[in-house]
Amino acid sequence: MSNNDPAHSIGRRPATGLVFMASELSILFRRRRTWALLLALAAIPVLIAVAVRLTSGPPTGRGPAFLDQITQNGLFVAVAAITVAIPLFLPLTVGVVAGDTIAGEASTGTLRYLLVAPVGRGRLLAVKFAGAVVFCLAATLAVVLAGTLIGAVLFPVGPVTLLSGDTVSIGESLLRSALICAYVTVSLTGLCAVGLFISTLTDVPVGAMAATVVISVVSQVVGQLPQLELLHPWLLSHYWFGFVDLLRQPIEWSSFAANALLQSGYVLVFGALAYGRFTTRDVLA
Amino acid sequence: MSDETLPEGPAVQTRGLSKRFGGQTVLDGIDLSVPRGSVFGFLGPNGSGKTTTIRILLGLASATSGDVEVLGRKIPRFLPEVLPRVGALVEGPGFYPFLSGRANLHRLDAADRFVDPSTRRARTAQALERVGLSQAADKKVGAYSLGMKQRLGIANALLTHRDLIVLDEPTNGLDPQGTREVRHLVHSLTAEGTTVFVSSHLLAEVEQICSHVAVLRAGKLVAQGELSELRAAGQTRVEVLTPDGADCRQVLTRLGLTPQEPTPSHHTPGGSDVAVGAPLPEHFPPETIVAALVAAGVRVKGFTVDQVGLEELFVSLTGEGFDVVQ
């Protein structure tokens, strides 16, 4: 009976998760909210560059790192902007997206329909996490691309002098920028996992978003307290500024590796917590 | 996965299904049996546990105890196998307000790994057509009325052929026209061999479209069966209005009826008339009763034959009034 229906294709090999992943990304990037977040991030380097340009540069040694190099080389706008964005703005936007993952679906009532569609609960978590990580990459790219562009427009561009004192070509420095994007994206995956877990605890997305952002702030505050030094290597934010090691010659990869290891630890632990919670709870929203 | 079909047997079967939230028992030993191909009405007042039962059938919530089988497979163990064959509208529609109706259906269809993506466009268009939403398909759902969202929710259940469709309060927010359309839709689904499970707190709605009914009250199943059986179980009664209560009872007893104690009639307040009621056995011609009464000299002021309607049955089963039981 049912198998005569061409639209009905049970018995057909199930599709890979890619179709649903594509749907998830298209939903994420069709939301106006996502674009507002990305635009806000892109505004950071623009603000910095314009401010520095109008005031003909701060005296060296003051303000955020790399700020004093901007007037000599526009390519430093991106790095300065990333430095400014890492402690608050990036975690804020990532917190919004990661905190919204499950709780957002619950609050619109779409969660029950996705589960009945059916999307397995584990698969839904995996796709939601992957979507949040893609957003981290987009967020980082927004800062770095906008920074590079505005820097090239407002300031002279030339070979870049690295922290180690060596000079690399413009092409090489763009490659380093791409590496910084990768580093910062990896830095934020742990926060994505934390946000995903918190998002499985509630049906109120704003609560999950706020809690995720608070955790990133607490992590950084604890990181500032010498009395809690014992905890520092385990903090989510411990290696967040380690990206500067990518601006040495030769590249200092150890912080990249340590960061990746720490973040995957967070992904494993909070991923497991999210799975444990989400696969056993009743979906009542 | 092979081309196997799911085992035969009832579309839904539960044994001793119970659910407790905290200290509260929401479902208490439900034994539900929904025959294949039936239109099954799941009736009960607000808060009686209808939606909770549906959540458990669909694997959204877990049962505290008891067995659940849907389409012949144990739930929740075989959910991944069963759910692609089940379409559902659960506790109202849920959609992304910033997407169009069509895009919402595409999204939910993409979530189902067992359907063919190449037919997605055609299938969504067909489902939208079936619920009369083709005109509004490209409007954002945020701009939909409640009734339109409800239609979209039903369209989602129809995206592909289903063996079982669960509709939780499908006519909520629909105008009379929409309600009629839902009735037609349900008929056409049954014609395709789909089992339809409809929950409702409105008896009239269920009475018109269902072949089978179950009635839930405060988490307990108080009636279940074919609609025609339940109707038949509703007794036919005769009632005689007379000043001669005792004589009347005698005559009725002689005729083989079991008359009740005469009650003061409310038709003639203050008078001496009483009403004598008795259940009427099947195939008993009521007119012979009047003849016998008159022959015995009983003064008959009124005589009525009443069918206890499904409405009365429903009210007697679920209790009257607006009080939510739990």
Side-chain angles (χ1 to χ4, degrees):
Chain A
M1 37 158 223
S2 56
N3 290 337
N4 300 334
D5 186 341
H8 183 249
S9 15
I10 316 270
R12 175 176 171 275
R13 178 178 286 281
T16 55
L18 289 178
V19 178
F20 186 51
M21 185 70 224
S23 151
E24 177 64 28
L25 290 180
S26 104
I27 293 255
L28 181 61
F29 288 102
R30 254 200 268 185
R31 292 195 84 153
R32 250 182 256 160
R33 188 183 70 194
T34 307
W35 288 102
L37 293 175
L38 292 177
L39 275 178
L41 285 169
I44 296 171
V46 175
L47 274 177
I48 292 175
V50 170
V52 170
R53 177 87 181 134
L54 291 179
T55 57
S56 68
T60 46
R62 275 191 51 208
F66 308 105
L67 202 59
D68 47 354
Q69 275 128 307
I70 288 177
T71 43
Q72 285 108 57
N73 194 335
L75 292 176
F76 275 103
V77 174
V79 187
I82 274 284
T83 313
V84 169
I86 278 182
L88 184 61
F89 295 104
L90 277 171
L92 199 66
T93 54
V94 170
V96 167
V97 171
D100 194 47
T101 45
I102 301 296
E105 299 281 358
S107 77
T108 53
T110 41
L111 181 57
R112 57 178 182 270
Y113 287 104
L114 288 175
L115 294 180
V116 169
V119 184
R121 297 191 185 199
R123 186 161 71 110
L124 184 60
L125 280 179
V127 164
K128 283 291 178 184
F129 176 71
V133 171
V134 169
F135 176 81
C136 292
L137 181 62
T140 316
L141 277 175
V143 177
V144 169
L145 281 181
T148 307
L149 285 177
I150 194 77
V153 170
L154 295 183
F155 301 102
V157 168
V160 172
T161 310
L162 297 174
L163 295 182
S164 51
D166 304 79
T167 303
V168 295
S169 67
I170 296 179
E172 167 82 22
S173 81
L174 291 179
L175 189 69
R176 300 278 173 122
S177 295
L179 279 176
I180 289 176
C181 283
Y183 186 102
V184 175
T185 304
V186 170
S187 290
L188 294 168
T189 52
L191 189 62
C192 285
V194 172
L196 185 72
F197 169 59
I198 297 174
S199 197
T200 62
L201 300 176
T202 171
D203 294 338
V204 185
V206 178
M209 295 172 191
T212 309
V213 175
V214 165
I215 283 191
S216 83
V217 171
V218 168
S219 167
Q220 294 178 78
V221 169
V222 172
Q224 298 287 317
L225 298 175
Q227 289 84 352
L228 299 174
E229 211 169 346
L230 209 66
L231 293 177
H232 289 184
W234 303 97
L235 290 175
L236 197 56
S237 53
H238 186 62
Y239 297 101
W240 278 6
F241 286 99
F243 71 89
V244 293
D245 288 345
L246 297 171
L247 297 175
R248 300 181 203 282
Q249 189 73 305
I251 293 177
E252 175 62 49
W253 287 104
S254 64
S255 55
F256 199 111
N259 183 35
L261 188 67
L262 177 73
Q263 298 297 333
S264 32
Y266 269 91
V267 170
L268 278 179
V269 170
F270 283 90
L273 285 174
Y275 185 84
R277 160 74 183 164
F278 189 52
T279 51
T280 52
R281 84 169 226 210
D282 286 353
V283 173
L284 300 177
Chain B
M1 186 180 283
S2 71
D3 218 35
E4 61 173 321
T5 44
L6 295 176
E8 289 302 313
V12 174
Q13 175 124 47
T14 72
R15 287 180 213 90
L17 172 62
S18 295
K19 175 75 180 175
R20 275 184 286 283
F21 287 120
Q24 207 182 36
T25 303
V26 183
L27 293 177
D28 189 2
I30 305 278
D31 296 317
L32 206 57
S33 182
V34 179
R36 295 252 180 160
S38 64
V39 179
F40 195 93
F42 195 39
L43 272 170
N46 296 327
S48 54
K50 299 188 298 288
T51 299
T52 304
T53 308
I54 289 174
R55 285 182 187 288
I56 293 172
L57 296 183
L58 297 174
L60 291 173
S62 56
T64 307
S65 62
D67 286 330
V68 180
E69 275 180 25
V70 176
L71 299 174
R73 289 285 161 103
K74 280 231 183 322
I75 297 296
R77 206 165 136 214
F78 292 102
L79 274 174
E81 243 170 276
V82 170
L83 283 180
R85 294 172 174 263
V86 180
L89 173 73
V90 202
E91 212 185 15
F95 293 103
Y96 306 95
F98 52 91
L99 291 183
S100 71
R102 194 191 304 280
N104 264 293
L105 292 190
H106 283 168
R107 157 78 167 170
L108 289 170
D109 196 62
D112 183 350
R113 293 155 80 205
F114 295 90
V115 294
D116 183 359
S118 65
T119 57
R120 177 165 305 143
R121 236 152 235 301
R123 284 182 294 108
T124 35
Q126 200 190 0
L128 286 163
E129 173 85 49
R130 271 183 102 167
V131 299
L133 268 186
S134 299
Q135 298 296 320
D138 297 306
K139 260 201 225 169
K140 290 214 160 55
V141 168
Y144 276 22
S145 69
L146 175 60
M148 287 162 82
K149 285 184 195 154
Q150 190 77 8
R151 285 164 189 254
L152 192 60
I154 296 172
N156 171 47
L158 306 176
L159 277 175
T160 176
H161 176 91
R162 317 282 195 183
D163 292 341
L164 171 66
I165 290 192
V166 178
L167 298 173
D168 189 10
E169 306 274 359
T171 56
N172 248 2
L174 289 187
D175 47 24
Q177 173 67 22
T179 311
R180 201 158 47 232
E181 285 169 32
V182 167
R183 275 206 297 275
H184 286 304
L185 195 66
V186 168
H187 281 304
S188 70
L189 288 171
T190 341
E192 291 166 24
T194 302
T195 309
V196 185
F197 184 93
V198 190
S199 89
S200 180
H201 62 278
L202 299 174
L203 174 77
E205 186 175 294
V206 164
E207 207 174 355
Q208 288 185 47
I209 57 175
C210 294
S211 61
H212 293 70
V213 176
V215 182
L216 201 59
R217 182 193 184 183
K220 287 201 173 88
L221 209 55
V222 289
Q224 175 168 232
E226 275 184 51
L227 191 62
S228 51
E229 274 173 25
L230 286 181
R231 264 215 192 91
Q235 276 281 355
T236 313
R237 290 169 46 86
V238 293
E239 198 176 76
V240 186
L241 188 65
T242 172
D244 312 318
D247 294 344
C248 175
R249 285 194 70 192
Q250 261 181 11
V251 175
L252 292 181
T253 313
R254 194 150 23 89
L255 286 172
L257 303 181
T258 45
Q260 288 144 353
E261 284 294 318
T263 52
S265 166
H266 23 257
H267 295 295
T268 51
S272 56
D273 295 345
V274 291
V276 181
L280 185 70
E282 238 177 307
H283 310 303
F284 195 101
E287 59 276 11
T288 57
I289 299 175
V290 186
L293 286 170
V294 173
V298 176
R299 289 170 288 170
V300 177
K301 282 198 172 174
F303 182 80
T304 46
V305 182
D306 266 328
Q307 171 91 45
V308 177
L310 215 51
E311 179 93 43
E312 279 105 338
L313 182 69
F314 181 53
V315 169
S316 72
L317 287 171
T318 60
E320 214 156 350
F322 288 105
D323 294 338
V324 173
V325 186
Q326 289 186 337

